[in-house]
Amino acid sequence: MVATNASGMRAVKYGATRDYVLGLEVVLADGSVIHVGTNTIKNSSGYQLERLFVGSEGTLGIITEVTLKVAPKPKRSAMVLAAFDRLEDAGKCVSNLISVPLIPSATELMDDICIRAVNKAVKAGLPDVEAICMIEVDGEPDMVAKELKVVEEVARRSGASSVQVSDDSKQMAKWTSARKSVMSALSRLGDELVSVSLADDMAVPISKIPEAVVAFHRIAEENNVIVGTYGHAADGNLHTKMLLDPCSEDSWTRGERAVGQIFDAVISLGGTVTGEHGVGMSKAPYMMRERPDAWRTMLAIKKALDPQDILNPGKLMQWEGGIIRDLRYPCRDLCPR
Ligand SMILES: Cc1cc2nc3c(=O)[nH]c(=O)nc-3n(C[C@H](O)[C@H](O)[C@H](O)COP(=O)(O)OP(=O)(O)OC[C@H]3O[C@@H](n4cnc5c(N)ncnc54)[C@H](O)[C@@H]3O)c2cc1C
């Protein structure tokens, strides 16, 4: 988690792994052991190397010890499930939420393809609409009650066709479980199709969420591929899964073209190709597009710390392959050759 700066649905309020790392012990490429960061909340003592190692994906050193700060557990939480007849309105709801004085602990957006998939696979009973937002607030009980009212008002003002509110733990667990089953449910949506993670972890500025979700759907339509969009929208993080015919070269070609267009759209909106999963190989070509000036500095840091290129070589800005040509997708192995 530290090496990828991982995070999840509550990052909007609680941040990503990097926000909790105070210090690290790291083994460098030459075998020396260094300690970076401090045990203090504040630290202006030179370069913040702990922040550099978080998210470096094993390319700069091996992390052997982590000092974390912790946050108190909230006393109460509650959720709003808002249904929208237009995907764009769900996106607007997310961006409207940032203009009111509260920070939701989670805001999960799901489009119609994801809704259909979970309703079919796990009988989730979600509203049959173009998009939903599940918005969670947490904290002190009286604050939660006040914030719920604000969220409900924002959802209605953004065009929600129905709004359900719950602080019942069973109901909330049911909604959360429906959201968490999106990935596996998408794999079961189309008989001949498999769900693949190609452009799966973009993040855009929150105000650009409506444009981004509409762009993804347009790109899917233009390339004749099915794309399900969901994600931790209030921190701008949008996941997509593409449904492809694993045995059709044409399907993979259209998928790859759509991936490039999705990433280009994200970059043009001021976003990033990966919000929480990391770059590895599959997002390397697109990270170079996203960071045309910064990747050389990243490479210089890599060369300074690992001159013989022994730490996770060939990743990030060092990978130059093609995502379909050079990466293995196990679902293709079963196809007749
Ligand atoms: C189904 C699925 C769901 C996912 N959901 C999420 C999600 O909700 N949020 C999220 O953030 N990510 C998610 N991911 C992406 C990824 O799994 C996470 O980022 C995860 O944190 C990786 O951690 P890991 O311990 O499995 O690391 P690994 O997969 O083992 O490694 C990840 C990278 O870190 C490097 N690394 C591992 N250990 C060290 C070390 N000690 N020192 C230095 N480098 C090291 C590896 O070389 C590699 O480059 C998901 C992935 C999958 C497949």
Side-chain angles (χ1 to χ4, degrees):
M1 288 184 69
V2 175
T4 54
N5 189 28
S7 60
M9 53 172 73
R10 295 194 172 83
V12 56
K13 183 166 183 179
Y14 294 104
T17 303
R18 182 175 280 124
D19 301 310
Y20 291 85
V21 172
L22 293 175
L24 296 173
E25 180 185 85
V26 183
V27 181
L28 297 179
D30 63 5
S32 58
V33 178
I34 61 165
H35 295 88
V36 293
T38 61
N39 287 341
T40 59
I41 295 292
K42 293 169 87 174
N43 164 20
S44 292
S45 168
Y47 298 148
Q48 309 284 287
L49 293 179
E50 68 284 8
R51 297 186 78 83
L52 174 64
F53 283 103
V54 176
S56 61
E57 298 185 29
T59 60
L60 301 181
I62 309 292
I63 297 160
T64 46
E65 195 178 292
V66 183
T67 305
L68 296 168
K69 64 178 176 181
V70 290
K73 208 173 163 195
K75 284 197 184 133
R76 174 75 59 89
S77 63
M79 281 173 87
V80 168
L81 190 150
F84 296 88
D85 294 329
R86 284 168 16 111
L87 173 65
E88 197 179 353
D89 289 341
K92 278 186 192 149
C93 176
V94 176
S95 48
N96 286 339
L97 270 174
I98 55 166
S99 60
V100 293
L102 68 86
I103 302 177
S105 46
T107 301
E108 293 298 305
L109 182 146
M110 286 167 58
D111 73 358
D112 54 343
I113 290 167
C114 299
I115 294 169
R116 229 180 327 131
V118 292
N119 280 346
K120 181 180 170 196
V122 297
K123 312 245 174 308
L126 296 175
D128 182 15
V129 286
E130 211 170 279
I132 58 165
C133 284
M134 291 179 189
I135 303 151
E136 182 195 73
V137 290
D138 69 8
E140 294 295 320
D142 54 341
M143 189 54 90
V144 167
K146 275 186 203 153
E147 291 190 344
L148 267 185
K149 288 207 173 78
V150 177
V151 171
E152 197 179 340
E153 186 275 319
V154 170
R156 290 193 194 284
R157 176 158 49 89
S158 308
S161 52
S162 77
V163 179
Q164 300 174 60
V165 178
S166 181
D167 61 359
D168 173 62
S169 56
K170 278 197 188 136
Q171 178 61 69
M172 291 195 292
K174 207 173 151 198
W175 286 341
T176 306
S177 154
R179 159 61 187 87
K180 286 189 173 168
S181 59
V182 167
M183 265 180 77
S184 54
L186 279 170
S187 305
R188 289 186 266 162
L189 186 61
D191 292 339
E192 304 295 324
L193 305 176
V194 293
S195 160
V196 286
S197 299
L198 294 175
D200 61 342
D201 181 40
M202 296 69 64
V204 295
I206 303 160
S207 60
K208 302 291 184 193
I209 289 272
E211 279 173 73
V213 290
V214 169
F216 297 168
H217 271 223
R218 178 182 44 75
I219 291 166
E221 214 174 294
E222 284 170 5
N223 289 285
N224 191 23
V225 288
I226 299 174
V227 172
T229 302
Y230 60 103
H232 324 309
D235 59 22
N237 197 184
L238 290 169
H239 301 304
T240 63
K241 286 279 173 288
M242 218 168 263
L243 300 188
L244 300 179
D245 175 349
C247 301
S248 156
E249 281 311 308
D250 178 54
S251 186
W252 287 96
T253 304
R254 283 183 281 111
E256 186 173 22
R257 195 169 54 224
V259 170
Q261 292 173 3
I262 286 175
F263 281 135
D264 282 343
V266 163
I267 293 166
S268 73
L269 291 171
T272 175
V273 299
T274 172
E276 60 183 21
H277 292 179
V279 176
M281 293 188 283
S282 67
K283 293 181 196 78
Y286 308 103
M287 182 194 79
M288 313 287 266
R289 286 191 207 172
E290 177 195 330
R291 300 184 176 270
D293 48 1
W295 71 264
R296 282 178 216 284
T297 308
M298 292 190 209
L299 196 56
I301 293 170
K302 165 74 175 164
K303 288 196 166 146
L305 287 180
D306 181 19
Q308 295 185 56
D309 201 16
I310 57 171
L311 294 169
N312 213 1
K315 306 287 162 47
L316 297 169
M317 55 283 155
Q318 293 181 299
W319 194 71
E320 291 171 355
I323 61 161
I324 304 299
R325 191 188 65 226
D326 298 312
L327 296 180
R328 183 174 160 250
Y329 298 88
C331 57
R332 296 180 95 177
D333 294 348
L334 300 173
C335 298
R337 287 176 198 276

